[in-house]
Amino acid sequence: MSSLQPVRGTHDLLPDESRRHRKVEEIAFSAARRYGFGEIMTPIFEFTDVFARTLGETSDVVTKEMYTFSDRSGESITLRPEGTAGVARAFISGGLAQSLPLKLFYRGPMFRHERPQKGRLRQFHQVGVELLGIESPLADIEVIALAWRVLSELGLASKVRLEINTLGDAESREAYRNTLVAYLSGFRASLSEDSRNRLDRNPLRILDSKDEGDRRIVENAPLMTDSLSPAAREFFTQVTDGLHALGIPFIINPKLVRGLDYYCHTAFEFTTTELGSQGTVLAGGRYDELIATMGGARTPGIGWAAGVERLSMLVGEVADEVRPISVIPMGDSMAALVVAERLRRTGRSVEMGFSGNMKKRMARASKVNARFAVILGEEEAARAAVTIRDLDASTQDEVPLAQLEDYLGRKS
């Protein structure tokens, strides 16, 4: 037996699992198109600076999880760990500011060197959306409504919960930063090394710390809602009123934050209790300063991303929607191949029964969930006919070859 194995944290998607992935992606894309989003495809690797700028040089993703290497030209290249940075880079490098507003959908593989666990892999897949150029809270409402529509059409509305919070505007964040630093400074000696390093540079990131000691300290930290400006409070009220108007259930989680300075106003997550401790399946927020941080003109934006693996685990088994026709040659295999190709040219899915006796070939037809079996025996061939067995009704008819498509069309 070969010793070759997939790299730790990667996973082969065999047909059954691929169907679940495809269902998640297709439902997400179908819903996004109804909301006016078009698809964008960015490269799976970028210059490292694209992610270092957007994710923050002190973030765990940048310091511990990115797959970064030097190419033959000595350039530092990184496999994309998330989708937003590539979309923002494409917006800047593609000169798309004149096309605002932009509504973009993406899907594809992402890469992070983290500890593999249930629903989390080192190569994983995401679907996501970005809405650029709209500063109004209406954009936040629409983006969240799209996320809810995707999850609902996947049959997951009863399995997830929307948690939402506000990160305020620049005035609110500055006031909160000062309040938070004053609180955390009293615990400097007890903070983890990472959090001590972040206290002066990026204190909001401490609120996301996974260290248990940090978590106990953060438990009693002041909340962002206590530092909101009147304008930020009104923005958040409009978002929550809009969700109420659309009938989208949510809870306000005042401890839901985003640690980078370009995030503002709305932050949200859809979580579940059915996948263990890692309960987030879709997360997003508003990032009005992101593109300016990357060197472009200030461009408001809001978006979300969802893990396809995690959603497909919640979706469960998915039947193949296309039921093939099984063509079974019991004589001239070449004649059967001609019939199979003839049917495929009419848009039908056809499975060829290549070998085995009739019993084994019919068992194969059942296994692939065929709708009909088209049997070509020597006697039928002499009459220029085939036997068609209706596998749902357990009936069969002999049909002239010239009438094959018409017969299948009537029966389907």
Side-chain angles (χ1 to χ4, degrees), residues 333-345:
S333 296
M334 186 57 68
L337 190 61
V338 170
V339 169
E341 191 65 16
R342 174 175 149 185
L343 292 174
R344 288 170 180 144
R345 290 175 181 174

Side-chain angles (χ1 to χ4, degrees), residues 208-362:
D208 287 329
S209 174
K210 303 300 187 291
D211 181 86
E212 288 301 322
D214 291 347
R215 285 176 175 270
R216 286 191 292 272
I217 293 170
V218 166
E219 186 68 28
N220 296 313
L223 300 175
M224 169 65 81
T225 49
D226 298 328
S227 300
L228 291 179
S229 68
R233 199 175 298 278
E234 173 60 22
F235 190 103
F236 190 52
T237 297
Q238 290 186 47
V239 172
T240 55
D241 285 352
L243 296 178
H244 281 305
L246 296 180
I248 299 173
F250 65 91
I251 65 166
I252 295 175
N253 177 357
K255 295 186 176 181
L256 177 60
V257 297
R258 297 285 184 267
L260 296 171
D261 287 342
Y262 53 73
Y263 280 107
C264 61
H265 293 298
T266 312
F268 61 93
E269 293 182 355
F270 285 88
T271 61
T272 184
T273 59
E274 301 197 10
L275 295 176
S277 60
Q278 299 291 330
T280 302
V281 296
L282 185 154
R286 176 169 279 275
Y287 48 83
D288 288 353
E289 307 300 329
L290 169 62
I291 290 175
T293 298
M294 297 179 70
R298 183 184 182 278
T299 306
I302 182 169
W304 55 255
V308 176
E309 280 81 3
R310 315 206 82 213
L311 290 177
S312 67
M313 289 169 67
L314 290 175
V315 167
E317 295 302 318
V318 175
D320 196 334
E321 295 180 358
V322 177
R323 298 185 64 187
I325 295 168
S326 185
V327 173
I328 300 176
M330 297 309 294
D332 186 351
S333 296
M334 186 57 68
L337 190 61
V338 170
V339 169
E341 191 65 16
R342 174 175 149 185
L343 292 174
R344 288 170 180 144
R345 290 175 181 174
T346 66
R348 294 175 170 89
S349 174
V350 178
E351 163 91 4
M352 271 287 291
F354 286 105
S355 61
N357 58 28
M358 175 63 79
K359 182 178 179 180
K360 288 184 177 179
R361 297 189 196 201
M362 291 304 299

